[in-house]
Amino acid sequence: MLKNFVLITGASKGLGLEFACEYARLGRNLLLVALPGEGLEDICAGLSEEYIVKALYLETDLTQNNSVYEVAKWAANYPVDTLVNNAGLGGAGFFDKVDPGFMDSMIMLNVRSVAMLTRLVLPLLLNNKKGYIINVSSLAAFSPMTFKLVYPASKTFVYSISRSLHEELRLKNINVTVVHPGPMNTNKDVRVRMSKLGPLGRMGLVPVEKVAHVTIRKNKRNRPVYIPGIFNKLNWLLMKIVPLSIVLFVVSKVFKKEFN
């Protein structure tokens, strides 16, 4: 209990679970947050037994108004020095046909929960000589994308607030890193969507284990931005230099395949 804790959202699967495993390997205690019914109790028991760390969990829905306050109040009982805002929601579809409730949930999770939880947990991080924040964005943050609803815009928000906080908090010994993964095999639904995109949609694939491992290293070194994979770095560069009209045309052709 004397060791500091890492607070991770969306920790039951995919990249969030890999962050939890990687921090546990480093001997860090864990506070894991995910939706109810996603096996957090068993995950915590397994990590505690294998790595001899303290792993605690809270089941809550971060798309609900009061959930970030619930998480922050719970975390305040422990010496937290690291926050990983990993929970996120994506999807694709025609904008005029998407369920408004789904889009509202995406905004609440990808935008509001990141900003609010960071603000609420920041005093805990400042109690330490050193603090760490990792925010999970996406390669989609660097360009508008058709058929992706509000997902790219929400990840642009994560990028923007992360870069701002990196500069603002560096003099307070808080390291802030934003990671921009490309495609990852995080769950069954994602794998199904990726299979429809063809080779071009899968070329930037990077294992979640590598993304988690390297992101933590970058955060320790106070690197503000990490884009995993050579192909994804090339994509980022192309999105910077190629006219937006051409980028939108290409990504539209790729992502429309999800509906064929």
Side-chain angles (χ1 to χ4, degrees):
M1 289 298 294
L2 296 177
K3 293 181 181 179
N4 287 344
F5 281 74
V6 180
L7 174 61
I8 306 173
T9 66
S12 61
K13 55 190 175 184
L15 183 57
L17 179 56
E18 289 303 327
F19 273 123
C21 293
E22 186 65 22
Y23 276 115
R25 291 186 193 102
L26 295 172
R28 301 298 308 278
N29 292 324
L30 304 171
L31 299 177
L32 306 184
V33 179
L35 288 167
E38 295 198 342
L40 272 185
E41 182 176 4
D42 291 339
I43 290 171
C44 286
L47 291 174
S48 296
E49 181 178 356
E50 183 172 359
Y51 298 107
I52 320 299
V53 297
K54 191 77 172 178
L56 308 174
Y57 70 94
L58 177 66
E59 297 178 323
T60 189
D61 184 353
L62 288 171
T63 68
Q64 302 302 306
N65 281 327
N66 293 326
S67 60
V68 289
Y69 294 96
E70 178 187 5
V71 172
K73 183 178 180 180
W74 172 63
N77 295 306
Y78 307 95
V80 177
D81 72 352
T82 304
L83 169 64
V84 180
N85 282 306
N86 168 76
L89 181 61
F94 294 96
F95 195 81
D96 62 335
K97 299 184 184 302
V98 66
D99 176 57
F102 177 77
M103 193 162 66
D104 190 29
S105 294
M106 191 183 298
I107 295 170
M108 291 290 286
L109 185 59
N110 295 6
V111 176
R112 181 182 182 273
S113 75
V114 173
M116 290 299 297
L117 193 56
T118 302
R119 170 61 185 87
L120 294 170
V121 172
L122 185 56
L124 303 180
L125 307 185
L126 292 170
N127 284 335
N128 302 276
K129 292 182 179 180
K130 192 75 178 176
Y132 305 89
I133 298 172
I134 293 175
N135 290 331
V136 178
S137 182
S138 167
L139 199 63
F142 299 116
S143 173
M145 292 183 176
T146 52
F147 308 114
K148 284 298 181 180
L149 311 177
V150 298
Y151 179 78
S154 71
K155 291 304 184 178
T156 300
F157 172 85
V158 175
Y159 168 74
S160 178
I161 194 173
S162 300
R163 292 306 308 269
S164 299
L165 287 174
H166 178 270
E167 183 63 25
E168 182 177 333
L169 298 177
R170 64 185 180 87
L171 296 179
K172 297 184 178 182
N173 290 322
I174 303 292
N175 290 5
V176 181
T177 300
V178 57
V179 56
H180 295 268
M184 294 185 296
N185 279 324
T186 53
N187 58 60
K188 181 180 179 180
D189 291 338
V190 171
R191 286 191 290 271
V192 170
R193 294 207 307 268
M194 286 175 55
S195 68
K196 297 178 180 180
L197 297 178
L200 184 61
R202 298 191 295 271
M203 287 184 69
L205 189 65
V206 178
V208 289
E209 298 89 345
K210 181 177 180 180
V211 175
H213 176 74
V214 179
T215 300
I216 293 171
R217 284 170 46 198
K218 298 288 186 181
N219 185 233
K220 285 289 186 181
R221 297 171 184 172
N222 202 23
R223 301 291 176 83
V225 179
Y226 169 47
I227 301 174
I230 297 298
F231 183 79
N232 293 322
K233 290 181 175 67
L234 178 61
N235 267 343
W236 169 81
L237 180 61
L238 290 173
M239 285 187 283
K240 289 290 185 182
I241 63 178
V242 174
L244 180 58
S245 59
I246 297 177
V247 173
L248 283 172
F249 176 79
V250 173
V251 298
S252 295
K253 298 270 293 180
V254 173
F255 290 130
K256 199 172 183 179
K257 294 178 180 179
E258 290 191 38
F259 315 115
N260 294 336

